[in-house]
Amino acid sequence: LDLIDYLARESARPEVAKILAAFTLRIIPMLNPDGAALYERRNLQGIDINRDALMLTTPEGILLKSIRDRFSPILGFNLHDQGRRITVGETGVLSSISLLAVAGDEKGTITPGRLRAKRVASRIARVLTPSIPGGVARYDEDWNPRAFGDNVTAWGSPVVLIESGGFPKGAAFRDLTRLNFIALVSTLDGLARNDLADETPDLYDALLRNKADAYADVALVGA
């Protein structure tokens, strides 16, 4: 919503006008309002929408598939929350943002679209690192044949997953929102300028992977 507001209010600014001239943006502000209200993955049917890409048993999944098929986007952003106690590899630093240039098959084939997604992920890592030093990780890349991100990529619309996790020190939810906003605006600007020709996948490929169960608020030893 912040992104929509910014693009609408600042449409006369040259950098924003360039984005709006280059692209049509299709935005679903909230795909799973049930799960968001309950802070869990499932909707009120008890179904994980993100694992409903093939069966399409949820109204939300049907909607998302229909929008993908109708507009065939050249790129998609998948905005999620992840656990607040996940760390960047073994560093002990909380993973505030995790990125994934989602594969479209089990082999992780690098298509032109997925290469663009990797350049996008590199740009996001580059612009966010000054705000959260060491706090950007790479999400689990294992292929999931039921997941929407994997299948949307397979259907021809490469996906970049942005997972918002641990709060930076002294920060809160709004700071994660700000990081997402910066990531999206910077990426759209780069895509509109030169399709991110100045980025390579290297920075994204070098990110440490998420590590779960590596951080706790309290540890009892020898109990």
Side-chain angles (χ1 to χ4, degrees):
L1 292 175
D2 287 333
L3 176 65
I4 295 169
D5 178 69
Y6 169 73
L7 295 176
R9 277 190 298 104
E10 304 294 341
S11 59
R13 293 179 61 174
E15 59 269 32
V16 175
K18 183 185 288 288
I19 292 171
L20 296 176
F23 305 117
T24 298
L25 305 178
R26 308 287 179 184
I27 299 174
I28 305 174
M30 177 66 70
L31 185 70
N32 184 11
D34 300 338
L38 298 172
Y39 200 64
E40 65 165 61
R41 296 176 64 93
R42 294 169 176 79
N43 67 359
L44 287 185
Q45 291 172 279
I47 297 174
D48 184 345
I49 300 168
N50 196 35
R51 299 295 182 265
D52 190 37
L54 299 183
M55 297 295 290
L56 296 177
T57 56
T58 62
E60 300 93 341
I62 293 169
L63 171 68
L64 183 56
K65 177 67 161 61
S66 69
I67 290 173
R68 207 304 315 172
D69 291 349
R70 180 180 177 188
F71 298 111
S72 295
I74 64 167
L75 183 71
F77 291 95
N78 197 356
L79 309 182
H80 283 192
D81 280 318
Q82 68 176 7
R84 307 292 173 206
R85 293 175 174 81
I86 292 173
T87 61
V88 179
E90 300 284 355
T91 64
V93 178
L94 287 177
S95 176
S96 295
I97 296 290
S98 295
L99 302 169
L100 177 62
V102 183
D105 59 25
E106 193 170 4
K107 296 178 181 178
T109 302
I110 304 298
T111 63
R114 189 165 182 237
L115 185 60
R116 175 187 282 125
K118 284 194 167 198
R119 295 202 307 270
V120 167
S122 286
R123 170 60 60 91
I124 293 173
R126 189 180 309 281
V127 300
L128 294 189
T129 292
S131 298
I132 44 172
V136 181
R138 185 153 51 105
Y139 198 74
D140 180 8
E141 290 191 339
D142 293 341
W143 160 255
N144 189 316
R146 297 186 299 129
F148 253 106
D150 306 61
N151 281 285
V152 169
T153 296
W155 297 330
S157 296
V159 171
V160 175
L161 172 67
I162 304 177
E163 294 267 356
S164 301
F167 300 147
K169 188 174 182 179
F173 276 110
R174 66 180 181 180
D175 299 282
L176 295 180
T177 302
R178 184 179 294 112
L179 292 173
N180 276 260
F181 174 81
I182 293 169
L184 292 171
V185 171
S186 177
T187 297
L188 291 173
D189 176 72
L191 289 169
R193 287 176 185 275
N194 60 5
D195 198 23
L196 290 175
D198 51 336
E199 293 286 357
T200 71
D202 297 349
L203 185 57
Y204 165 72
D205 287 335
L207 291 174
L208 296 175
R209 287 202 178 196
N210 271 348
K211 182 173 178 57
D213 304 320
Y215 184 95
D217 294 314
V218 178
L220 300 181
V221 180

